[in-house]
Amino acid sequence: MTTTAVLGRDYRLLWSAAVCSQVGDSLRTPALALLAATLTRDPRAVAAVTVAGLLPPLLFGLLSGVYADRWDRRRTMAVADGARAVVVAALAWSVATGHAGIATLVVAASLLALLGTLFDASAYALLPTVVPPEGLAHANARLQAGTAVFALVTAAAWATFRTRTGPPATPPH
């Protein structure tokens, strides 16, 4: 029997969810920074948006792990990604209606990163419940490698796209 067969359907679903989530996470930081750059010429404001998206995992990573251990992990993953979809939709609406500002981007970046941290903690905590003990090391390696590879592929695709499309629009003075 192959290792993939031992890992099972639940593992494949978990792996797919984690990898798809990673693709979105990989696009979040550069996309929000570029959006900030279209709103202002102030590099401190662009940096604030970027930092707001990087701080939550550092500040709340351990706490996310605590909650991931105490709450239903599948439900937590679903709620976290659903909440991220709501944040992205609200951000899209505010951009489309001309109401987005740096403060909006800072809040969105923070919420998306915080919810992503909770999703990731839940996904990794769920792993031992969907894989038999003999397949756990292999499953964990595949999950880590899959999210890392897709993060790199997404970053490379984003860089290629940005290189071909040019710099963001000039912000107002």
Side-chain angles (χ1 to χ4, degrees), residues 80-103:
D81 261 3
R84 286 199 286 184
V86 169
V87 171
V88 169
L91 178 61
W93 176 83
S94 68
V95 170
T97 60
H99 292 94
I102 296 301

Side-chain angles (χ1 to χ4, degrees), residues 20-123:
C20 287
S21 181
Q22 182 61 48
V23 169
D25 289 345
S26 298
L27 292 173
R28 177 191 68 234
T29 301
L32 289 175
L34 284 171
L35 182 55
T38 65
L39 297 175
T40 182
R41 290 181 182 210
D42 184 1
R44 292 171 299 192
V46 176
V49 172
T50 302
V51 168
L54 299 174
L55 277 181
L58 295 172
L59 299 176
F60 301 108
L62 292 175
L63 188 59
S64 292
V66 168
Y67 286 118
D69 284 341
R70 295 183 181 180
W71 294 342
D72 178 86
R73 293 171 184 111
R74 291 172 204 245
R75 182 171 290 133
T76 301
M77 290 170 63
V79 168
D81 261 3
R84 286 199 286 184
V86 169
V87 171
V88 169
L91 178 61
W93 176 83
S94 68
V95 170
T97 60
H99 292 94
I102 296 301
T104 305
L105 298 181
V106 166
V107 169
S110 296
L111 287 173
L112 291 170
L114 178 61
L115 292 164
T117 301
L118 185 57
F119 178 95
D120 292 342
S122 298

Side-chain angles (χ1 to χ4, degrees), residues 7-16 74 126 129-131:
L7 296 179
R9 178 182 176 274
D10 287 344
Y11 172 76
R12 288 190 299 276
L13 290 172
L14 174 62
W15 186 90
S16 299
R74 291 172 204 245
L126 182 63
T129 66
V130 299
V131 175

Side-chain angles (χ1 to χ4, degrees), residues 130-147:
V130 299
V131 175
E134 65 273 4
L136 193 56
H138 186 73
N140 193 33
R142 274 192 171 187
L143 186 58
Q144 292 283 343
T147 56

